[in-house]
């Protein structure tokens, strides 16, 4: 059994950022990921990031990923790939399928940065080859450089739907239509305008009604929805398309946190059940931290900031960074996180995030023996 | 289209000159880039259907591409239920469309224990 001070599960932006913080503070750290390559969703993201220069705005996701990997390699952190963590037991022991072997890892602190998985919606024909997650298409075009098809219907106009549609165009596919069930486009206006300029129609208040084959998707029928989300008869439209991408939301991957007995809170805006945590990203189970999409689906920039918080908090609790220094560095991270959670889109996420922190505080207050500090001030206003 | 590979990309640039290998898909040779997932090689060759379901014999293909959904499983080198979207292609691999739950071939279960 290998021993580490910190075991990070997931080598996406959150896990890598945490490992960089902890590793550079001298914490003996291992990062474990089931993929063959590190980076999580980051290497699929070939668009430029938003935000301020502190958030590496203007830099593309995969470039940020490369930088992180090179920084990480200077810290002496071990990275285990092709290694799936399937069990987490108090104290902490992690059960890992490493390649075709089984290994146990002992760690003083654990960070779960396992990300999220894509949702899907059923409709007649949804199991046909050619129907896939938008993230699946994104992986194929941007990581493996293979087109999943030539004519694509995108279901969902959140940021993933809009960004992946544009990336499909860049890869050489034809995006026949973006279909959005809500009356409003879900994602950022900039992404939607880029698609419109490229001539891609976005059908709002529409949904996919069926896909027909045989063998693989050949035709896709969409239709309008009324105010009570029922199909309007006579509004059907059929496209020739060989691919349907589903971009209908993400759900945090929190199985290991359930296994560890963490308390959860449900929030549909953030993707479902989320482990309750404090402002240092520690869950209700002491010594177990969470960061990134597992704490509510946001974006890569916020995942990295949360990773930093968790890395600093873990390093501080292990005595590798002084408390005062850790706190001042965490405050700076919080300032940047608050910037990311501003504006018409960010404010809802911030409110949802505040609910999680509040639940932690209420719980800590209820529990007389708790030595946890109350959550401090996060975002002003 | 002969290949579904993205040769030139406005952001990612030209495709790197990686080593290609040949895998055997249902008896026909398919070119793969060494180490890419089997599913990527099949998709590049225009293959959409990877298996058929046990009861209704319906076709299934890649759905999640990250090893979660098991829709892309095939029989690889005699071992059924291999997730082809996360299994790297190697030269000479025998890849078979899986029907239902698949069957172990003699070579597949040989010395695994
Ligand atoms: C398909 C997809 C596309 C997206 N596209 C964008 C986009 O274009 N722009 C954007 O800003 N955001 C996008 N997002 C949101 C995205 O979730 C965040 O940007 C960011 O990647 C979240 O970082 P993370 O580190 O929390 O998770 P991830 O990047 O998902 O990393 C989690 C890692 O943990 C690994 N893992 C999970 N469970 C285990 C386990 N049990 N054992 C070992 N390893 C495990 C996973 O394989 C993965 O590598 C996308 C999300 C998805 C799912
Ligand atoms: S496509 Fe989902 S496991 Fe391979």
């Amino acid at each position: 059994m290998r021993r580490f001070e910190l075991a990070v599960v997931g080598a996406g932006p959150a896990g890598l950022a945490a490992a960089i913080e902890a590793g550079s503070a001298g914490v003996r750290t291992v990062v474990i990921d089931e993929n063959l390559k590190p980076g999580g969703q980051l290497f699929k993201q070939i668009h430029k990031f938003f935000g301020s220069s502190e958030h590496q705005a203007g830099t593309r996701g995969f470039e940020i990923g490369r930088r992180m990997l090179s920084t990480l390699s200077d810290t002496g952190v071990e990275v285990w790939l092709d290694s799936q963590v399937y069990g987490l037991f108090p104290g902490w022991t992690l059960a890992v399928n490493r390649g075709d072997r089984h290994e146990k890892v002992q760690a003083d602190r654990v960070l779960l940065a396992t990300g999220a998985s894509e949702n899907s919606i059923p409709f007649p024909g949804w199991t046909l080859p050619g129907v896939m997650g938008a993230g699946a298409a994104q992986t194929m075009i941007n990581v493996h450089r293979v087109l999943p098809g030539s004519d694509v219907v995108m279901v969902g106009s959140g940021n993933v739907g809009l960004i992946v549609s544009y990336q499909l165009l860049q890869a050489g596919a034809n995006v026949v239509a973006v279909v959005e069930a809500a009356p409003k486009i879900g994602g950022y206006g900039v992404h939607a305008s880029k698609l419109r300029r490229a001539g891609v129609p976005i059908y709002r208040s529409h949904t996919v009604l069926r896909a027909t084959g045989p063998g693989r998707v050949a035709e896709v029928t969409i239709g309008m929805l009324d105010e009570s989300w029922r199909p309007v008869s006579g509004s059907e439209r059929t496209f020739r398309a060989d691919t349907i991408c589903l971009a209908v939301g993400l759900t945090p991957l929190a199985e290991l946190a359930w296994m560890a007995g963490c308390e959860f809170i449900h929030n549909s805006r953030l993707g479902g059940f989320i482990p309750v945590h404090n402002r240092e990203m520690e869950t209700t189970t002491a010594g177990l931290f969470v960061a990134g999409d597992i704490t509510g689906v946001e974006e890569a920039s916020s995942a990295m900031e949360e990773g930093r918080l968790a890395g600093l908090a873990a390093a501080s609790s292990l005595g590798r960074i002084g408390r005062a220094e850790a706190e001042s560095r965490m405050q700076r991270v919080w300032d940047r996180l608050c910037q990311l959670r501003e504006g018409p889109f960010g404010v809802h996420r911030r409110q949802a995030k505040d609910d999680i922190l509040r639940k932690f505080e209420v719980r800590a207050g209820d529990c007389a023996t708790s030595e946890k500090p109350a959550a401090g001030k996060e975002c002003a206003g | 289209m002969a290949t579904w590979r993205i040769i030139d990309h406005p952001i990612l640039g030209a495709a790197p000159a990686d080593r290609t290998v040949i895998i055997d898909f249902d008896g026909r040779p398919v070119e793969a880039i060494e180490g890419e997932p089997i599913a990527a090689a099949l998709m590049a060759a225009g293959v959409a259907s990877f298996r058929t379901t046990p009861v209704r014999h319906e076709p299934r293909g890649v759905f999640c591409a990250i090893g979660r959904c098991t829709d892309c499983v095939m029989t690889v080198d005699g071992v059924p239920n291999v997730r082809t979207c996360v299994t790297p292609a190697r030269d000479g691999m025998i890849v078979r469309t899986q029907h239902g739950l698949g069957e172990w071939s003699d070579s597949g279960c040989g010395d695994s224990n």
Side-chain angles (χ1 to χ4, degrees):
Chain A
M1 179 146 58
R2 295 285 306 277
R3 294 191 63 91
F4 293 90
E5 286 175 294
L6 172 66
V8 176
V9 187
L16 292 178
I20 288 172
E21 289 296 344
S24 22
V27 176
R28 219 152 18 86
T29 305
V30 62
V31 184
I32 308 174
D33 197 291
E34 63 191 342
N35 283 301
L36 300 168
K37 292 180 184 162
Q41 314 306 322
L42 210 45
F43 284 90
K44 304 171 190 176
Q45 302 181 13
I46 61 167
H47 56 282
K48 291 183 179 164
F49 277 45
F50 295 153
S52 65
S53 57
E54 281 169 327
H55 300 122
Q56 317 198 47
T59 312
R60 300 180 192 278
F62 66 98
E63 289 160 352
I64 296 177
R66 277 190 208 139
R67 277 185 212 166
M68 291 180 96
L69 290 180
S70 99
T71 312
L72 185 69
S73 68
D74 297 335
T75 60
V77 166
E78 267 188 52
V79 182
W80 292 12
L81 300 171
D82 192 12
S83 303
Q84 185 177 38
V85 179
Y86 68 89
L88 177 60
F89 307 97
W92 299 97
T93 305
L94 293 83
V96 189
N97 259 334
R98 191 176 184 193
D100 47 17
R101 277 175 304 148
H102 171 260
E103 282 202 37
K104 277 198 254 175
V105 169
Q106 186 80 44
D108 301 322
R109 304 281 183 277
V110 173
L111 166 63
L112 301 178
T114 43
S117 69
E118 293 194 273
N119 299 340
S120 58
I121 46 164
F123 50 85
W126 78 292
T127 55
L128 278 171
V131 181
M132 66 188 71
Q138 196 184 30
T139 306
M140 282 298 166
I141 54 175
N142 295 347
V143 179
H144 306 309
R145 299 186 61 135
V146 175
L147 277 171
S150 59
D151 299 279
V152 185
V153 171
M154 177 67 65
V155 182
S157 74
N159 280 325
V160 172
L162 297 177
I163 291 173
V164 175
S165 292
Y166 194 72
Q167 292 175 351
L168 280 160
L169 295 177
Q170 288 178 314
N174 172 32
V175 180
V176 180
V178 177
V179 183
E180 169 59 60
K184 272 174 62 183
I185 289 172
Y188 294 139
V190 252
H191 294 316
S193 328
K194 273 164 94 179
L195 280 179
R196 285 222 187 80
R197 280 201 297 278
V200 176
I202 303 180
Y203 293 91
R204 289 168 293 156
S205 298
H206 275 71
T207 192
V208 55
L209 297 175
R210 66 185 161 272
T212 49
R216 77 169 291 166
V217 176
E219 285 191 339
V220 183
T221 302
I222 69 167
M224 195 186 271
L225 296 172
D226 65 18
E227 296 85 66
S228 42
W229 297 60
R230 267 190 291 271
V232 177
S233 68
S235 69
E236 293 188 4
R237 245 176 238 268
T238 298
F239 301 104
R240 293 195 62 79
D242 56 5
T243 306
I244 298 179
C245 289
L246 305 176
V248 291
L250 301 167
T251 302
L253 273 173
E255 293 94 335
L256 293 170
W258 287 108
M259 203 179 229
C262 295
E263 277 184 35
F264 276 74
I265 184 170
H266 188 271
N267 190 300
S268 45
R269 200 175 278 281
L270 293 175
F273 284 99
I274 288 154
V276 172
H277 58 81
N278 64 13
R279 71 189 297 269
E280 303 189 357
M281 309 314 292
E282 190 167 9
T283 65
T284 55
T285 307
L288 183 66
F289 296 81
V290 284
D293 279 355
I294 185 179
T295 74
V297 175
E298 291 191 271
E299 47 197 18
S301 322
S302 40
M304 286 183 270
E305 298 295 11
E306 288 193 343
R308 287 188 188 107
L309 286 176
L312 287 168
S316 151
S317 74
L318 288 159
R320 297 305 183 113
I321 305 182
R323 189 66 211 160
E325 188 196 336
E327 269 174 22
S328 89
R329 284 169 67 182
M330 279 193 266
Q331 188 55 52
R332 285 204 293 279
V333 179
W334 265 108
D335 293 343
R336 295 198 299 268
L337 260 180
C338 293
Q339 282 174 29
L340 288 172
R341 292 173 182 156
E342 276 170 0
F345 287 94
V347 71
H348 297 297
R349 282 189 276 123
R350 196 183 98 198
Q351 284 160 0
K353 285 283 187 177
D354 284 348
D355 288 343
I356 301 176
L357 298 177
R358 204 168 303 126
K359 173 136 185 200
F360 189 97
E361 281 180 61
V362 168
R363 184 190 167 279
D366 281 349
C367 187
T369 53
S370 170
E371 288 167 18
K372 290 239 156 31
K377 177 173 148 301
E378 283 80 41
C379 306
Chain B
M1 212 187 282
T3 176
W4 293 86
R5 291 200 188 275
I6 301 163
I7 310 298
D8 276 313
H9 192 287
I11 310 290
L12 298 171
D18 293 316
R19 195 171 102 93
T20 57
V21 296
I22 301 292
I23 61 174
D24 173 323
F25 166 61
D26 286 351
R28 78 177 161 100
V30 166
E31 197 178 78
I33 291 170
E34 187 171 41
E36 77 178 345
I38 296 166
L42 293 180
M43 204 177 249
V47 178
S49 173
F50 286 29
R51 68 176 180 108
T52 58
T53 57
V55 180
R56 297 212 236 160
H57 314 294
E58 292 171 351
R60 293 285 190 276
V62 167
F63 190 72
C64 74
I66 50 166
R68 293 222 182 277
C69 74
T70 66
D71 244 10
C72 66
V73 298
M74 301 176 87
T75 302
V76 177
D77 288 338
V79 181
N81 299 316
V82 173
R83 294 170 303 164
T84 55
C85 69
V86 288
T87 304
R90 303 267 173 251
D91 199 28
M93 248 178 181
I94 314 277
V95 179
R96 295 283 174 264
T97 298
Q98 180 169 320
H99 299 289
L101 303 176
E103 272 175 31
W104 290 80
S105 76
D106 290 344
S107 60
C109 49
D111 55 3
S112 63
N113 293 309

